Amino acid sequence: MAFELFKKDKGHLARTRKEQFGYVIRNNIPTLFMSNVLMFLFSFPLILTFVFFSIAFHQLNIQESPTSGQFYSIFLISGGLTLISVLILNIGLLGQYSVIKELVFLSSSKFVSFFKGIKNNFKDTIFVNLIFSLMFALLVINVGTFLYASLDGVFKLVILIINISVCLVLLIGKGYINFEMVVFKNRASIYIRNGIYLFYKNLPMSLVELLLVIIPFIAVAFVPIQFCFIPIGIIATCYLSFSAFSNFMISITVYERLFTPEQIPEIYHKGLEKINL
């Protein structure tokens, strides 16, 4: 019985989205693992950015009489690296979600689907991905500005609060936005608007989706650096695929609950047994 979770299904598809969650995992462990490894490679620049910041900040702290300008330069460099690494991360998500889309809708996927997903969706999603990258890069820089720049304190605080607010708005809809970017073709403003709308329409499951998005960042940021290999190892082997797949299933369940088959005919119950007989 302990191995039933990994027993492959033959001759039928899942009948419900809830059943499909286990169905896809049971029948596609190698595909999910390879997708996770590829996604980790796209996540690695962001991990290196965090490591650079941690080491540089620590080294400066142990120096005698470090200046505010030296600390501020670390935030400026880290902000630039964040811009690049978050963009790379979001590009990788296009590939990972494309693999998951095939597993859910077609019950199978191939290694090359990861790169095809990036190629097919890159142009249509570059603007929204640039918005994400820029806002989080500015957040790093604005934290440094608030702490170390010689500017009016109220002005710095207002700019930082605005930046944090924008990042939170983007972050709460991130799971739905990832889903929409590989399933539908829309403008960046529509992706963001729909992501925020669906987040509030599906509480508390949206909080689960948000938690799945931010857990890796919390784990890496708050685990002592000498033990960072533990969360990084989990992220590198299984967590990224599990998180993306879980968010995809939450998103499509929400769509099928909120919209009629006539409104979303291209995805409604696609990949389930009663549709594919």
Side-chain angles (χ1 to χ4, degrees):
M1 293 297 294
F3 296 98
E4 283 297 309
L5 176 65
F6 306 106
K7 184 179 178 181
K8 288 200 171 186
D9 301 276
K10 296 181 180 180
H12 70 89
L13 300 174
R15 293 178 291 274
T16 65
R17 293 300 182 195
K18 183 179 180 180
E19 182 182 317
Q20 192 179 37
F21 187 89
Y23 176 93
V24 170
I25 293 176
R26 284 196 302 272
N27 292 280
N28 299 281
I29 291 176
T31 303
L32 290 169
F33 174 74
M34 288 306 302
S35 171
N36 197 99
V37 171
L38 288 173
M39 187 61 227
F40 180 72
L41 295 178
F42 280 83
S43 307
F44 201 63
L46 186 58
I47 295 174
L48 289 180
T49 297
F50 174 76
V51 170
F52 162 78
F53 175 84
S54 300
I55 293 175
F57 196 84
H58 174 72
Q59 290 298 318
L60 198 55
N61 263 320
I62 63 177
Q63 291 182 15
E64 292 186 8
S65 304
T67 66
S68 295
Q70 289 176 304
F71 280 109
Y72 191 38
S73 66
I74 294 175
F75 281 88
L76 290 175
I77 295 170
S78 298
L81 294 174
T82 298
L83 176 65
I84 298 170
S85 58
V86 171
L87 181 60
I88 293 172
L89 174 72
N90 281 317
I91 291 171
L93 285 170
L94 296 176
Q96 186 175 46
Y97 270 74
S98 296
V99 170
I100 291 170
K101 181 180 74 171
E102 290 187 353
L103 294 179
V104 173
F105 291 163
L106 305 177
S107 298
S108 65
S109 184
K110 297 180 179 179
F111 180 81
V112 296
S113 295
F114 189 99
F115 301 102
K116 285 183 178 179
I118 294 175
K119 179 181 177 181
N120 294 337
N121 296 289
F122 179 82
K123 184 178 179 180
D124 295 320
T125 61
I126 185 61
F127 187 58
V128 67
N129 285 333
L130 280 173
I131 291 174
F132 269 92
S133 304
L134 181 61
M135 287 299 103
F136 282 94
L138 287 175
L139 179 59
V140 174
I141 293 172
N142 281 327
V143 170
T145 300
F146 179 77
L147 294 174
Y148 300 109
S150 300
L151 297 172
D152 178 73
V154 175
F155 173 76
K156 292 190 296 183
L157 180 60
V158 169
I159 295 299
L160 182 59
I161 290 174
I162 292 173
N163 199 164
I164 291 173
S165 300
V166 172
C167 287
L168 286 175
V169 168
L170 293 174
L171 195 59
I172 62 175
K174 182 59 173 168
Y176 296 108
I177 292 170
N178 290 337
F179 169 83
E180 288 195 333
M181 287 194 299
V182 300
V183 174
F184 304 111
K185 300 295 183 183
N186 279 316
R187 299 189 303 273
S189 59
I190 296 178
Y191 287 135
I192 295 171
R193 182 200 68 187
N194 289 350
I196 297 169
Y197 170 77
L198 293 170
F199 179 87
Y200 288 107
K201 288 292 288 185
N202 193 49
L203 292 171
M205 284 306 298
S206 293
L207 295 176
V208 175
E209 193 168 51
L210 176 61
L211 188 63
L212 288 168
V213 171
I214 65 176
I215 276 178
F217 303 102
I218 295 173
V220 174
F222 292 100
V223 171
I225 195 164
Q226 63 267 33
F227 298 111
C228 264
F229 68 92
I230 298 174
I232 290 176
I234 295 172
I235 292 168
T237 54
C238 64
Y239 185 80
L240 295 173
S241 281
F242 173 78
S243 173
F245 175 56
S246 298
N247 282 344
F248 191 99
M249 295 303 295
I250 292 173
S251 297
I252 194 169
T253 301
V254 171
Y255 262 88
E256 291 177 343
R257 180 171 58 83
L258 295 179
F259 302 100
T260 65
E262 292 74 24
Q263 291 175 304
I264 50 171
E266 65 270 43
I267 67 168
Y268 193 86
H269 285 186
K270 187 174 181 180
L272 298 181
E273 180 76 25
K274 62 182 179 180
I275 298 299
N276 291 275
L277 284 175

